[in-house]
Amino acid sequence: MNPLRLTAVAALLALGAAACGGTTKDSVKSAPPAQASSPAAAKANPDAPIKQGLKLAFLPKQINNPYETIVDNAGIDAAKEYQGQAKEVGPSDASASSQISYINTLTQQGHDAILIAANDANAVCGPLQQARGKGIKIVSYDSDAAKECRDIFINQASSEEVGRSQIKLLASMIGSKGDIAILSATANATNQNTWIKYMKDELTKPEYKDMKLVKVAYGDDDDQKSFTQTQGLLQAYPNLKGIIAPTTVGISAGARYISGSKYKGKVVLTGLGTPNQMRQFVKDGTVQKFALWNPKDLGYLASYAAAALVSGQITGAEGESFKAGKLGSRTIGKDGEIILGPPFTFDASNIDQFDF
Ligand code: RAM
């Protein structure tokens, strides 16, 4: 097992643009944005020590998602390295407004930073601005909030690379031919929507002229709904050759359905999954290949970035750098985005080297 393999290859990649899908700012009733300090106004001091006793809170898309648990636990452990305290709180569903009451409570409790995997880029914006008005730093990770509502975004990989590589992966397994579908998370999820935008763009290339996207379905990052959505797709589109589920919840539920159905070995399922959730489906032949990054490193990097922000080592401006513990020096890119590294492809030959 060599978990470092995922990070050893990390390199700065072309930055993917973060799209804001879902709820619009105008459609969400929220308090007027409080005055947040402009990142440009403050000056970063890269030599400032990490402040002692920092209080951070991780707010994932939902607490009962094994992927989010891995990310947040790694961030909580990282805080111990710099003598800070971190906790995880969050909703049990990934709906657009489910995180608002948690942001408000964390703001009242007076944390130094809130780290959020936003369920909806805009629904969380008003509450996040209120938190910033009280001096709380906001780090989005995994799924971005609207960029005016957070200080920095820790992206697991270049959004463009994730989207395009998912199409390439599926194409390589279906001979670039046939009907395909996407089983996504929620309809508002910033990360999935951005990836899907790049998947659709990739499909316009001539080499994919015989591949046709027939449907984008949403399992809402709910295991049972993702299971029944997979079943529904396969029944509604009998010519389906492949499904991409760019969500760890979706791909594992989809694999569970396919493994016990007549579609096993006939319809290709790929996407983004954790090796531990997908191992049995790779071993039983339901899934050949899927991708991900190291979720532990994502939480670790987000935790150090929050500490650097609160301590004044960085302000969120492009070009600033900080040291992210064992991950080394990291630099802020365009729009306050920091990219962890490239996605990695898992298959039968390597899956047993990974334990997360
Ligand atoms: C699910 C969530 C998460 C996403 C992963 C790949 O766990 O939707 O946001 O990054 O899948």
Side-chain angles (χ1 to χ4, degrees):
M1 142 92 187
N2 179 10
L4 290 180
R5 234 175 120 180
L6 284 172
T7 51
V9 287
L12 282 179
L13 298 163
L15 301 180
C20 299
T23 317
T24 63
K25 264 167 276 165
D26 294 341
S27 71
V28 177
K29 291 249 175 303
S30 54
Q35 279 303 311
S37 57
S38 148
K43 203 173 167 345
N45 175 7
D47 299 322
I50 293 185
K51 286 185 183 161
Q52 296 288 293
L54 293 182
K55 270 175 66 187
L56 313 182
F58 282 81
L59 178 47
K61 281 182 167 180
Q62 61 193 124
I63 46 165
N64 48 349
N65 172 343
Y67 168 86
E68 305 272 333
T69 306
I70 300 170
V71 175
D72 294 354
N73 282 345
I76 291 167
D77 283 349
K80 293 179 196 149
E81 289 181 9
Y82 53 79
Q83 281 77 50
Q85 279 175 24
K87 66 175 183 181
E88 182 200 54
V89 290
S92 54
D93 70 89
S95 61
S97 58
S98 63
Q99 294 170 312
I100 293 173
S101 62
Y102 289 90
I103 300 170
N104 292 337
T105 302
L106 291 170
T107 303
Q108 283 159 15
Q109 290 171 344
H111 287 76
D112 294 300
I114 297 172
L115 298 96
I116 181 170
N119 281 323
D120 183 297
N122 298 310
V124 294
C125 206
L128 289 180
Q129 289 291 49
Q130 288 198 316
R132 294 176 88 195
K134 296 204 160 156
I136 299 173
K137 299 294 182 192
I138 306 298
V139 175
S140 58
Y141 66 100
D142 179 48
S143 185
D144 202 5
K147 63 173 182 282
E148 65 272 22
C149 313
R150 48 77 171 157
D151 294 284
I152 46 175
F153 170 42
I154 313 300
N155 201 352
Q156 41 268 59
S158 148
S159 301
E160 177 166 4
E161 189 181 6
V162 173
R164 295 194 191 284
S165 63
Q166 291 273 287
I167 294 292
K168 285 179 201 149
L169 197 56
L170 180 59
S172 72
M173 292 185 276
I174 62 169
S176 303
K177 210 176 170 126
D179 289 354
I180 65 165
I182 294 171
L183 173 67
S184 190
T186 66
N188 292 345
T190 327
N191 52 343
Q192 273 88 12
N193 284 346
T194 311
W195 298 330
I196 291 169
K197 186 184 81 177
Y198 285 114
M199 288 183 210
K200 288 181 174 168
D201 189 71
E202 181 69 12
L203 281 171
T204 63
K205 292 184 178 168
E207 60 260 46
Y208 307 113
K209 66 179 188 331
D210 296 325
M211 269 167 76
K212 187 172 166 225
L213 177 63
V214 293
K215 176 84 179 169
V216 180
Y218 298 95
D220 290 348
D221 268 353
D222 174 89
D223 177 73
Q224 195 50 41
K225 187 170 179 196
S226 303
F227 184 91
T228 49
Q229 286 290 316
T230 308
Q231 181 179 29
L233 279 173
L234 290 160
Q235 283 168 358
Y237 300 96
N239 293 328
L240 213 53
K241 292 286 179 291
I243 299 175
I244 298 174
T247 138
T248 59
V249 179
I251 193 174
S252 57
R256 200 170 74 249
Y257 174 72
I258 292 176
S259 69
S261 77
K262 64 180 181 188
Y263 304 104
K264 183 179 170 188
K266 298 201 173 70
V267 176
V268 173
L269 173 67
T270 190
L272 302 171
T274 66
N276 286 358
Q277 283 187 289
M278 297 306 293
R279 192 174 332 272
Q280 74 180 100
F281 303 115
V282 169
K283 302 243 170 182
D284 78 4
T286 305
V287 170
Q288 293 168 47
K289 294 176 186 183
F290 63 96
L292 202 72
W293 37 85
N294 188 330
K296 290 183 196 166
D297 287 349
L298 177 62
Y300 186 93
L301 178 57
S303 188
Y304 266 93
L309 203 51
V310 176
S311 304
Q313 293 175 352
I314 54 173
T315 66
E318 184 174 357
E320 292 171 357
S321 295
F322 65 101
K323 186 165 181 300
K326 66 181 182 194
L327 294 178
S329 179
R330 296 291 167 135
T331 302
I332 302 175
K334 191 167 167 282
D335 293 332
E337 187 176 354
I338 300 168
I339 294 182
L340 175 66
F344 179 85
T345 301
F346 301 90
D347 60 22
S349 75
N350 62 28
I351 194 161
D352 283 337
Q353 296 168 34
F354 300 94
D355 183 18
F356 57 77

